[in-house]
Amino acid sequence: MWKFIVRRLFVTFPQIVILSVIIFILAQMMPGDALTGLIDPNIDPAAIEEQRERLGLNNPWYVQYSDWVKGVVQGDLGQSFRYKMPVSDLIEQRMINTFWLSLLTLIFTYAMAIPLGIISGRWNDTWLDRAITGYTYIGFAAPLFITALLMVWVFGFHFGWFPTGGSVAPGLTPGTFEYLISKLQHLLLPAFSMAVITTVSTVQYLRSEIIDTKQKDFIVTARAKGAPESRVYNRHIFRNSLLPIAAFFGYEISGLIGGSIFIESIFSFPGMGQLFLDSVLLRDYSVVTSVVLIFGIAAILGALLSDIILSIVDPRIRIK
């Protein structure tokens, strides 16, 4: 078990290093640089060039990359010219919002996907299975931003059940009960909108595994021995069908990264996704590189988490 984790960590570290190099090179190709927006472009060009020299922006790319990595390791991600504050402080504020949004989305996803997958797989080829499968087909075809806009219009504007923007009502004191309730109200609709789409792949995976497992020889043997049907499903079919779902858990994190960009923009939710889009449009160099690096590391760690979880639930895949 520990050998497997150590080997995966040895693979993960080079992936992060390669990711950081690619992000830095692509950022270097963007118009402008880290100094853009920090100073008045109308001042003496000689003074601007002096500032670039002082900040090391005229150094070779590998020297700049080394300086950037040292800053990242020390927690110094640079300065945002738009927000006039350190990028690390800005990301810390936004990451908290995205974390709670992602957590609630995962809760909604599995709360809906596991029962639907079990029903569809256990009673396959029934009208109930066809209804659930129809929902998954629609979910695969429907773009996330269309679903989110529909949710905003129906539950936000038409019925007025949920707020349609922000992360908390203005004027509330942090830490109070009213503040927490407002936070939850602002999270529910974005999280549910994303979960409606992220659920469909999990439902299909679980349904397929249950149908496939029902036909295995050990299931036929268990039934032939007279085991109760509930025991066959709960202790044999369902338990074995959860293996790919457990492995898929880490990849759900990667999917939430892309989904949060659309959801946070539509709901004006101040998280990492909205910060990324705003920074790209304004060419906020330091923020863009930092956010992309964090998103990339989260995706890599999600894949690592999936492998570790699968090695726990299925010892056959461990590397000796």
Side-chain angles (χ1 to χ4, degrees):
M1 175 64 188
W2 290 108
K3 289 182 181 180
F4 172 78
I5 295 176
V6 170
R7 292 193 181 200
R8 284 294 287 112
L9 288 174
F10 273 117
V11 174
T12 299
F13 181 73
Q15 289 177 333
I16 295 176
V17 173
I18 294 173
L19 171 69
S20 66
V21 172
I22 294 174
I23 290 173
F24 184 82
I25 293 176
L26 291 177
Q28 291 287 313
M29 298 169 63
M30 291 174 58
D33 51 34
L35 193 61
T36 303
L38 288 175
I39 59 177
D40 186 353
N42 297 319
I43 66 175
D44 185 9
I48 297 178
E49 187 63 26
E50 182 181 349
Q51 286 291 329
R52 284 199 168 89
E53 189 68 33
R54 184 179 64 84
L55 293 174
L57 298 178
N58 293 331
N59 294 334
W61 73 268
Y62 52 86
V63 176
Q64 295 186 50
Y65 171 76
S66 176
D67 295 338
W68 177 63
V69 170
K70 290 178 183 177
V72 170
V73 172
Q74 296 172 0
D76 181 12
L77 301 176
Q79 190 82 8
S80 169
F81 77 80
R82 181 195 178 194
Y83 296 95
K84 307 300 181 185
M85 62 185 299
V87 176
S88 55
D89 294 342
L90 178 62
I91 288 179
E92 181 181 358
Q93 297 173 2
R94 298 300 187 94
M95 190 180 294
I96 294 174
N97 288 335
T98 298
F99 169 79
W100 288 115
L101 176 61
S102 300
L103 179 62
L104 191 57
T105 301
L106 283 175
I107 293 174
F108 280 151
T109 297
Y110 285 102
M112 294 187 294
I114 292 179
L116 290 177
I118 292 174
I119 294 171
S120 184
R122 184 168 183 175
W123 292 283
N124 60 302
D125 296 328
T126 63
W127 68 267
L128 196 56
D129 172 45
R130 295 188 184 97
I132 295 173
T133 304
Y135 155 66
T136 61
Y137 289 160
I138 294 173
F140 277 124
L144 177 59
F145 67 91
I146 295 296
T147 304
L149 288 173
L150 184 62
M151 291 289 183
V152 170
W153 181 77
V154 173
F155 298 107
F157 293 109
H158 184 69
F159 292 109
W161 292 347
F162 300 98
T164 58
S167 63
V168 67
L172 297 179
T173 304
T176 61
F177 181 74
E178 291 80 7
Y179 182 88
L180 296 177
I181 293 298
S182 178
K183 272 280 190 183
L184 181 60
Q185 288 176 337
H186 283 76
L187 282 170
L188 285 174
L189 192 56
F192 182 74
S193 301
M194 190 152 44
V196 165
I197 300 301
T198 57
T199 296
V200 296
S201 56
T202 307
V203 171
Q204 284 284 11
Y205 276 124
L206 186 55
R207 176 185 182 274
S208 299
E209 283 298 317
I210 290 177
I211 294 175
D212 182 63
T213 306
K214 285 195 301 184
Q215 302 171 8
K216 299 287 186 179
D217 291 339
F218 70 93
I219 299 298
V220 176
T221 302
R223 285 184 173 137
K225 289 182 176 180
E229 193 66 16
S230 60
R231 182 178 180 181
V232 171
Y233 266 95
N234 295 334
R235 298 194 59 180
H236 299 290
I237 296 178
F238 180 59
R239 180 179 297 180
N240 285 277
S241 299
L242 281 181
L243 293 179
I245 303 301
F248 196 64
F249 175 78
Y251 293 102
E252 291 277 8
I253 299 175
S254 303
L256 291 176
I257 293 173
S260 67
I261 296 177
F262 294 104
I263 290 294
E264 291 177 4
S265 299
I266 292 171
F267 286 90
S268 299
F269 189 81
M272 294 284 286
Q274 188 185 48
L275 176 64
F276 171 72
L277 278 184
D278 293 344
S279 301
V280 169
L281 294 175
L282 294 172
R283 297 177 182 174
D284 199 341
Y285 174 90
S286 301
V287 177
V288 171
T289 54
S290 301
V291 172
V292 173
L293 179 64
I294 291 173
F295 279 170
I297 292 176
I300 292 173
L301 294 180
L304 173 64
L305 180 62
S306 289
D307 290 344
I308 292 175
I309 292 175
L310 188 55
S311 70
I312 293 174
V313 298
D314 187 2
R316 296 173 297 175
I317 65 116
R318 295 177 191 170
I319 302 174
K320 301 298 182 181

